[in-house]
């Protein structure tokens, strides 16, 4: 089992990264290999909205600007069995770098044979002091999963006053994915 962590945080520490570390712990405990993809390590362009709204993303399932790292990241996702998406909440949304990437990926996934289709996804968002915008941020990632046919395993929001017990939940969720729990399995 290989799990990719798609990270939208630009920081190497902080709240969002703490949740990512908890997810890694759970995944490793379950025997999974982890590939942490830090989107901020790339200089990804935003979707250029080619032609009349659709470009090669629609006709040939690839982005003509893919050499900026988009293709490399897509391959890493393709080579994984499950995905953990984690982002800080910025302006009540996913971080800009996460948005840029997901906007392009969902277009390339349009033909039903995409790299995330039928894969379990754990969605994590971390708001700051206000806590505002958590739901809209989670909802954005949910919509990406609905558009691409990914299977949502769980949604977890963690902030500065709940992170002790939410990190336990993240660790457990990643562990559950790693050991092969399927959505719909009955536990008790
Ligand atoms: C540009 C920007 C916008 C932000 N917008 C929000 C927001 O809408 N709601 C919120 O609760 N926190 C917001 N924050 C705070 C981040 O969500 C905060 O950084 C988050 O808790 C992640 O913690 P970390 O940066 O230590 O990983 C924002 C931060 C930045 C840099």
């Amino acid at each position: 089992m290989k799990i990719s962590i798609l990270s939208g945080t630009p920081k190497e520490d902080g709240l969002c990264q703490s949740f990512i570390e908890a997810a890694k712990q759970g995944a490793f405990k379950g025997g999974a290999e982890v590939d942490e993809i830090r989107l901020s390590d790339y200089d990804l362009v935003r979707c250029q909205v080619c032609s009349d709204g659709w470009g090669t993303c629609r006709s040939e399932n690839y982005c003509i600007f893919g050499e900026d790292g988009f293709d490399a990241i897509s391959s890493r996702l393709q080579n994984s069995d499950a995905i953990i998406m984690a982002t800080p909440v910025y302006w009540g949304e996913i971080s800009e770098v996460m948005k840029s990437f997901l906007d392009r990926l969902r277009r390339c996934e349009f033909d039903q044979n995409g790299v995330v289709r039928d894969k379990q996804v754990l969605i994590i968002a971390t708001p700051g002091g206000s806590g505002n915008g958590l739901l809209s941020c989670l909802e954005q990632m949910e919509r990406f999963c609905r558009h691409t046919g990914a299977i949502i395993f769980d949604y977890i929001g963690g902030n500065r006053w709940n992170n002790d017990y939410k990190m336990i939940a993240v660790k457990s969720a990643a562990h559950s994915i790693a050991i092969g729990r399927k959505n719909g399995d009955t536990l008790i």
Side-chain angles (χ1 to χ4, degrees), residues 39-40 78-79 89 119 150 153:
L39 292 170
S40 287
Q78 185 158 32
N79 290 331
V89 177
K119 289 181 181 169
F153 189 82

Side-chain angles (χ1 to χ4, degrees), residues 26-38:
F28 288 143
K29 188 167 165 241
E33 189 186 334
V34 172
D35 179 21
E36 184 176 349
I37 303 169
R38 290 180 50 82

